[in-house]
Every structure is written in C-alpha cells, then in structure tokens.
Amino acid sequence: MKSALALVGITLLTGTSLVVTAASASAAPPAPTPPSLQAAADTALKTHTAAVRGSTKDAYAVYSSKTDSTGLGVTRYTRTYNGLRVYGGDLIIRTTKDGGFAGSSVGLAAPLSLDTSPAYAQSKARKAATAGFKGKVTSTGKPELFVDASSGTGRLAWETVVTGWAPDGQTPSKLHVIVDAGTGAAIGSYDEIEQVVGSGTGIYTGTVDVDATQSGSSYSLVDPSHGSGRTCDMGNRTSGTCATFTDADNVWGTGANSDRASAAVDAHYGAATTFDYFTNVHGRNGIFGNGTGVPSRVHYGSAYVNAFWDGAQMTYGDGEGNARPLVAIDVAGHEMSHGVTENVVPGGLTYSGESGGLNEATSDIFGNMVEFYADNATDPGDYDIGEKIDIFGTGEPLRYMYNPTLDGASHSCWSTSTRSVDVHYSSGVANHFFFNLAEGSGETEYGTSPLCGAASPVTGIGRDKAEKIWFRALDTYFVSNTAYVNTTTPANTARAYSLSAATDLYGLCSPEFKAVQSAWNSVNVAGTDNDDCVANNFSAAASPTSLSVDPGDSATTTLSTTVVAGEAEEVTFSATGLPAGVSVAFDPASVTAGGETTATISTTDAVGSGSYPLTLVATSPSVARTVTVTLTVNGLPGCDSSTVANLPIGDNTTIESTIVISGCEATPSTVSTVTVDIDHTWIGDLVVSLIAPDGTAYVLHNREGGSADNIKKTFPPVNLSGETANGAWKLRVQDAAAQDTGKLNSWGLTL
C-alpha cells in the first residue's frame, strides 16, 4: 500500500490522561494502546524531520512497511521535492514496539534547497540521450524532470529512458540517461537490465525434483508450490511467444544439452530453490515479497552468452555455440536476488558507483548462499560465481569471492578508485568482506583470502550468521545510495548498517558484531563504530571542522548526530576550551539522536589573532561525544598582530602558536620585529623560531642564556623581505632538554 504524506499534513497522535482518585488508587490504569505502525512512523517522520534531512518542500509516500520478529517497525518512504521525484531521497523510519522513534536511514547530506526551473531544454535532453545510446534504439521516452540526490546533495536533472538492443543485437536494454538540467552536462547512466557478464535431469544440477502442474494427461512446467512460476522455451529467438514446457510423463530432461528440457530443469529448479531460500532462511515471501513466482525464459537468442533479470522475469542464453546454457544455480540465485534488492529498496541500490557494487555483491552473496542452500552434490556450494557455465572457455569462474582480484579486474580492497569502476568489479570489496565474515581470512577449504594492508586476521562466524546479517542490513537499513565509504553522510554505509544488523541479531559488541568490524577492516573499509559498547549509542560529526573569522565576527558549523546502537536518546550540546572572547550558541539546544544543530561561534574584538581548537560536546543520558573544530581568528587589518597564547611548554616538547596577518598591503621589512613573552626556568633549553606562511623558519633564540630565567624581549631585526605578508605566521617553541618547563604567555609580530 502506498499513501501520500506531506509534512504539513501529518496528524500528531494525542494521548489521554487518567486521574486516579483515592477510591480507585488500587486499580491499575489500562495499558495505552500502541499506535499502528503507519501512524507511529508518520509521527516519527513529522517529529524527526532533521534526522531525515527534511525540508518544507518535501512530501513523502510510503513504499513499504512491516514489523519484524523483534517488534521493530520498518517503514520505507520515497520523497518528492516541490512535486519532483528525488532520486536518492528514499529513507527509512524505524519504530519501537510502543511506537517510539528507533532511528532512521537517509542518503541526503542536508535538506534540499534548489531551484526547480530547468535551464536546459527537455528536447535537448531527449536528443542527447538518444544519440548516446550504443546499439539499436527502438524508442526514447519523454525526459522526466527530477532531483538527482544520488551523491547525497540535490541537483536538478533530466532522466531519459532509451529502449533498444545492445550492440550484440540480442541483449535488451532500458538505458536511463541522466543529464544536468542546468548545464546539459552528462551525470551518468545505468541499464535497467541486470546481466551476469557482467524430477528432472538438468545440465548442471543432475537429477532433482521439480514441481509441475497437471492438466488432464499432460504436465506443464508451472510451479504450483512457488507462486506459479513458469519456465518456457524462447526457441532461440529474442522476441515472440515463449512456449511453456509440457510433457506427458512428468519426467523432464536427460541432462544432455540436446534435450531442450534439460536447461529448463535447471532454470525451474533454480527459481524454486531461490524462492525457498529467501522464504525459509530470511522469512521473505519469495522474490517479490508477495508469494508470486518468477517466470524463467530459456534458450533465448542464438549463441547468447548471457543471462539477465529485467525486473519481472529471468532470461537465459545458451552460451557459446548454444552448447553451455547459463542456467547454473548460482547464476539463477544471483539474478533473482537482483529482484529481491529492487523490491526491498525503492528502485534498488543505485546501479552505479559504490551502491552499484553493493547491488552486484548482494546478488553474488545470495547467489552463492542459494547454491549452498540447494546442497546439490552435482553442483556443491562454493564462493565462485558462475563456475559451471564456463563463459571464458577456460573452466574459470566469472568472479572469486575469497580473492576478487583473481579475475584480473575486481577490487579486493577498497580505495578511492573503487567508486569509479564497473559495478561488477567494485562488488569485489563486499564479496571479500562477506567471505572473511563467513569463513575467515587466510587459508580455507574454499580458497586463500588475503588481507588488505596491515589488517588483522579474521575469524569467520559461519555462513548462517553472515547471510542473516547481510540480509537484515539490506532489508532494514540500506537506502538506494548506500556506499562503502561516504564522506557526506558517514552513517549511510554498508559497514555501519551491517553493524546495526549484527547488533539487532546477536547483541551489541557480541562476537558477531566484532567479526563484522574485523571483516570490514580486512578489506580496507574503516569506521568509527561502537567500540565502547554503549547500549543506546550515537556518533557526532561537524561540518565544516575549520572556520575562519575576523575579530568581532561569527561563523557557523553544523553538528550532526547519528544513532549507532539502541534507541535514539535526547542529546544536549555544549562547548569547552573556549578562549576569552569566544562563545558558542546551539540552535536547537538539544535534539533526538539522529538530528543536527547549528553551532554559531562568535568572537569579540578582544580575541587575539590565531588558531584555537574548540571542543563541541554532545551529551545523551548514556554517553558524551566530542568534536574538535579549529577556529582561526584573523588579525585586524594591518601589518602587525599579537596574541595571548597561554600554552604550557613541557620537557622535550614542541608547541606552536598562530597569528594571522590580513589586510597588510606592505611588503615585510628587512627589520621586522617579533615580541616574545615566555616564562621558563632554564632558557638554555629552548629553541624559538618564527615560521612564515610558506613554511620558512627563522630562528630567533637557539639555546642561548644557559640557566637564566624567561624570555621577555623583542627580536630585531628579522629580515622578512622575501615573504608574503598575509597568512598564518607561527611561533614555534621547542624544549630540547629535561627537568625545566615553562609557558608561552604571548607573542606579537610587526612586519
């Protein structure tokens, strides 16, 4: 069921109060009736708009909702902005048994704020999309104006769907082409058709039981036990009627490719086994979640070396020379798992970049778990993808989960380049993670899994636990643009969500939780997780973390909070380590974890020039989180400045204090001066240097003075004529010996 929901249109739930008199004091009040899942989610969305980066122009529609076995409510919403669809704007609201807010998943980094009037014409977008299609175009749809927020920030764009045939002439294509509606620049594209390349006797499965439907004296390959999924013969064509397989004795195939029913047995068996896997292992009612079976088309095309999922059905080619049909069980499980992903997450995990890699990895993971679930002696479970179909003619599989680099293209370890490779290759990072989580790193019976960098070895927790963690992360936490590493929305990552899933299933900081951490570390996907094992935990981050102001002015930073574990608690804000003349105000003063506040940092004219580390503190009843923001105060306009440092000088330590010169129009002099005020009981320990903005060091004091106390003097002349005046100047003080300590009180610079 889908229902429209605008922020201004949500009705808050109202409670009733009970006044207990003396006569009725012994009678317990009736327990309040929990709100319905829909009402609880709608209320949470209304109350926690900051947590989902909501704006006044946003409206929402329920995509799906359910309550899991623990009582957690999971409601997915799609989003529109000023009436336009927001790609990457989907979100999840999670609610407790009693209707309370339990957290959210969101892909936006900040509320949307953009002009929705396109400067680039719709007709130009359509023409460009058609011209860029590789293959034969059969039709081009009308471009849709929408908000592309797949990167976490919104921009106005046109999306055009071009339908046709890929260059091979046999693979159908529904190419979504996205261009900037302001400039016409290409943003990206993805194909809706997801491909592998990217009792009967089957070719790969051997003799297996298959469910068929009897009609009179004839049987047809229509499975009454699995949503009436049917298997049909395309007759080696790419279009036209697909004839459902029929048989007189209900004995299908011979295991030989020459019997067309042999490939049908594998496909029919694969569809039924995948259906059973998701139902029996994960509690999902088949691929689509509604009990409907999957149609399977075999013998598609001529010598077609591919198989694909088109959103509604499976299609299998017969391979090179029509001799190796692509109907192996892991291929079937892989492709139908695309159907699960796109029916769980609105529109699926975006099929490009890191989210596309996670999309492909999810299909690789579940495809192989289906193979293990089948427990078929003819095609036993392993962590290779497509090893039976022999696409390359070398006996090698398409991909290797235990060491993805063996295919020559996949990434085993995350790097910044992972987000820019083909999704079948960026999938390697999650595949490698999953293998290490299930089986462990190093030598295993399925292959040797290497570690990335200096990661510690991983001890596996077994397939049963690993597959449940991955499915729950997908089902309960992933949104369309979830990634491996996300700098704009750090909480929207597979690492964070799989840790939440492990917490839900096995407990916070359980061995399973720690194994997930270790497995992500092993593929170079780091994170700041719930290492302190707080039940109701959250993290905090500031953006930006560096601010620059003139004395008397102010600047702002956004302090955001993210639920890491447990329930979302109230978080209050404060600041410490403020120098004289600096103050911080928070608006709002408190939020529910998952929300954000704006910190306004103000200065007076009396604040000295320099850089100051400020500590912003977010405190809940369970834990306090700190974030450091560096505030740089510029000098007053002119060619001189000073600052009160008050920095301790410890034994054998080096300290630095900064002055920022701004608005100086003169060239530094050959006789510039530096005034220094240092308390120290043995100045022969000290080296004092002035560091110019370009890093050049000018030594002012080099361990002179022996046992004399304190340096309180002006150092002339200092020839700074080769330097640029404006910028950050530093005084560096090094204590080069033990026993005596001191303090830098203040210093000044005249250029």
Side-chain angles (χ1 to χ4, degrees):
M1 179 184 72
K2 295 187 178 181
S3 62
L5 168 67
L7 279 179
V8 295
I10 301 175
T11 303
L12 289 174
L13 296 174
T14 56
T16 57
S17 59
L18 175 67
V19 178
V20 181
T21 65
S24 62
S26 62
T33 301
S36 68
L37 173 58
Q38 176 89 41
D42 288 354
T43 299
L45 181 57
K46 164 70 176 179
T47 308
H48 301 280
T49 54
V52 299
R53 312 296 188 261
S55 79
T56 57
K57 295 183 179 180
D58 285 358
Y60 307 89
V62 175
Y63 177 79
S64 66
S65 62
K66 69 175 186 176
T67 302
D68 69 13
S69 59
T70 69
L72 182 73
V74 180
T75 304
R76 290 181 179 268
Y77 294 88
T78 56
R79 183 191 316 246
T80 59
Y81 176 81
N82 202 23
L84 299 179
R85 173 176 62 92
V86 181
Y87 182 48
D90 56 302
L91 60 103
I92 302 172
I93 292 290
R94 291 179 288 277
T95 50
T96 61
K97 290 180 181 179
D98 60 1
F101 178 60
S104 62
S105 296
V106 62
L108 293 183
L112 295 170
S113 178
L114 68 154
D115 182 2
T116 55
S117 300
Y120 188 72
Q122 183 186 64
S123 59
K124 290 183 178 180
R126 187 176 188 276
K127 184 177 180 180
T130 305
F133 186 85
K134 295 180 180 179
K136 180 182 178 181
V137 176
T138 57
S139 67
T140 300
K142 180 181 178 181
E144 176 195 7
L145 189 64
F146 76 109
V147 177
D148 174 29
S150 57
S151 66
T153 58
R155 55 183 166 181
L156 194 65
W158 291 109
E159 180 175 21
T160 309
V161 179
V162 186
T163 303
W165 299 93
D168 64 9
Q170 298 191 88
T171 304
S173 178
K174 291 183 179 178
L175 187 68
H176 294 242
V177 181
I178 302 170
V179 298
D180 192 300
T183 65
I187 293 175
S189 63
Y190 69 93
D191 204 310
E192 195 175 311
I193 309 297
E194 291 156 325
Q195 308 170 43
V196 168
V197 178
S199 116
T201 304
I203 297 170
Y204 307 116
T205 59
T207 302
V208 293
D209 292 332
V210 293
D211 288 329
T213 297
Q214 183 177 8
S215 177
S217 60
S218 179
Y219 296 85
S220 60
L221 273 186
V222 177
D223 189 342
S225 303
H226 301 90
S228 296
R230 75 176 186 123
T231 301
C232 61
D233 188 344
M234 281 296 296
N236 294 109
R237 304 182 309 274
T238 58
S239 61
T241 302
C242 188
T244 302
F245 280 88
T246 59
D247 188 81
D249 59 5
N250 203 22
V251 177
W252 307 84
T254 62
N257 188 43
S258 57
D259 186 336
R260 297 182 73 82
S262 297
V265 168
D266 284 329
H268 203 67
Y269 171 76
T273 304
T274 304
F275 188 109
D276 284 343
Y277 169 77
F278 282 104
T279 300
N280 297 333
V281 176
H282 301 300
R284 180 175 177 80
N285 192 11
I287 307 307
F288 301 103
N290 60 5
T292 302
V294 172
S296 299
R297 304 191 301 173
V298 299
H299 302 304
Y300 174 90
S302 179
Y304 183 60
V305 190
N306 215 331
F308 59 85
W309 170 262
D310 64 9
Q313 62 189 347
M314 277 301 306
T315 299
Y316 302 92
D318 280 341
E320 192 70 33
N322 291 322
R324 300 288 297 180
L326 280 75
V327 288
I329 186 69
D330 58 348
V331 174
H334 171 105
E335 292 300 333
M336 283 179 276
S337 293
H338 279 307
V340 172
T341 298
E342 69 186 32
N343 280 278
V344 169
V345 181
L349 289 162
T350 301
Y351 207 62
S352 63
E354 292 186 8
S355 58
L358 287 168
N359 190 320
E360 275 298 317
T362 296
S363 284
D364 282 349
I365 289 166
F366 290 136
N368 276 353
M369 292 305 99
V370 168
E371 188 177 69
F372 276 107
Y373 176 82
D375 195 23
N376 186 295
T378 305
D379 187 7
D382 53 42
Y383 288 91
D384 298 330
I385 292 93
E387 72 281 359
K388 288 286 187 180
I389 58 178
D390 193 18
I391 278 184
F392 306 122
T394 61
E396 299 297 319
L398 287 169
R399 292 184 289 280
Y400 307 79
M401 293 183 71
Y402 58 88
N403 185 1
T405 59
L406 291 178
D407 67 14
S410 290
H411 288 207
S412 281
C413 309
W414 182 87
S415 69
T416 53
S417 64
T418 298
R419 59 176 59 99
S420 61
V421 300
D422 183 273
V423 295
H424 294 90
Y425 305 141
S426 59
S427 64
V429 176
N431 282 344
H432 195 190
F433 155 81
F434 184 86
F435 181 88
N436 288 348
L437 179 63
E439 305 295 341
S441 60
E443 292 185 13
T444 75
E445 63 178 300
Y446 302 104
T448 299
S449 173
L451 295 166
C452 299
S456 300
V458 183
T459 300
I461 60 175
R463 291 187 300 276
D464 290 348
K465 290 181 177 179
E467 66 187 345
K468 287 181 172 61
I469 288 172
W470 193 259
F471 181 81
R472 185 169 181 84
L474 172 72
D475 192 42
T476 307
Y477 294 95
F478 281 11
V479 290
S480 60
N481 59 354
T482 295
Y484 293 124
V485 176
N486 197 324
T487 55
T488 57
T489 50
N492 186 25
T493 64
R495 176 179 175 123
Y497 291 151
S498 55
L499 283 167
S500 294
T503 299
D504 294 344
L505 295 172
Y506 304 108
L508 180 65
C509 292
S510 60
E512 293 81 3
F513 179 97
K514 293 178 180 178
V516 172
Q517 288 179 313
S518 180
W520 281 120
N521 292 341
S522 75
V523 297
N524 200 36
V525 177
T528 54
D529 309 313
N530 194 10
D531 295 325
D532 43 9
C533 299
V534 177
N536 296 325
N537 206 349
F538 73 96
S539 62
S543 180
T545 56
S546 296
L547 301 170
S548 179
V549 297
D550 293 329
D553 289 343
S554 62
T556 62
T557 185
T558 299
L559 187 61
S560 59
T561 63
T562 302
V563 176
V564 172
E567 296 187 6
E569 296 183 321
E570 194 73 8
V571 178
T572 58
F573 302 100
S574 59
T576 62
L578 304 181
V582 175
S583 61
V584 181
F586 297 93
D587 183 23
S590 66
V591 300
T592 302
E596 62 185 30
T597 186
T598 298
T600 301
I601 302 171
S602 302
T603 64
T604 66
D605 291 338
V607 179
S609 172
S611 294
Y612 305 96
L614 311 181
T615 302
L616 307 184
V617 185
T619 306
S620 74
S622 299
V623 67
R625 296 295 180 206
T626 59
V627 177
T628 299
V629 174
T630 300
L631 177 69
T632 298
V633 180
N634 301 321
L636 293 170
C639 300
D640 65 302
S641 187
S642 62
T643 187
V644 176
N646 288 327
L647 294 175
I649 306 169
D651 278 334
N652 295 299
T653 62
T654 299
I655 64 167
E656 290 184 341
S657 177
T658 303
I659 282 175
V660 180
I661 298 292
S662 62
C664 179
E665 298 179 359
T667 300
S669 170
T670 58
V671 288
S672 298
T673 60
V674 183
T675 302
V676 177
D677 184 344
I678 294 175
D679 288 335
H680 198 282
T681 52
W682 193 293
I683 63 173
D685 290 355
L686 300 180
V687 179
V688 182
S689 305
L690 176 70
I691 311 299
D694 66 359
T696 302
Y698 297 84
V699 178
L700 307 176
H701 174 96
N702 191 5
R703 303 195 67 175
E704 300 100 349
S707 62
D709 293 342
N710 308 330
I711 300 176
K712 298 178 182 292
K713 61 180 293 187
T714 298
F715 292 90
V718 183
N719 184 358
L720 300 178
S721 59
E723 300 294 340
T724 299
N726 294 314
W729 296 79
K730 297 179 181 179
L731 189 75
R732 178 181 296 161
V733 181
Q734 178 186 6
D735 186 300
Q739 297 183 358
D740 290 270
T741 61
K743 183 174 70 169
L744 171 62
N745 297 311
S746 61
W747 71 286
L749 172 64
T750 299
L751 297 176

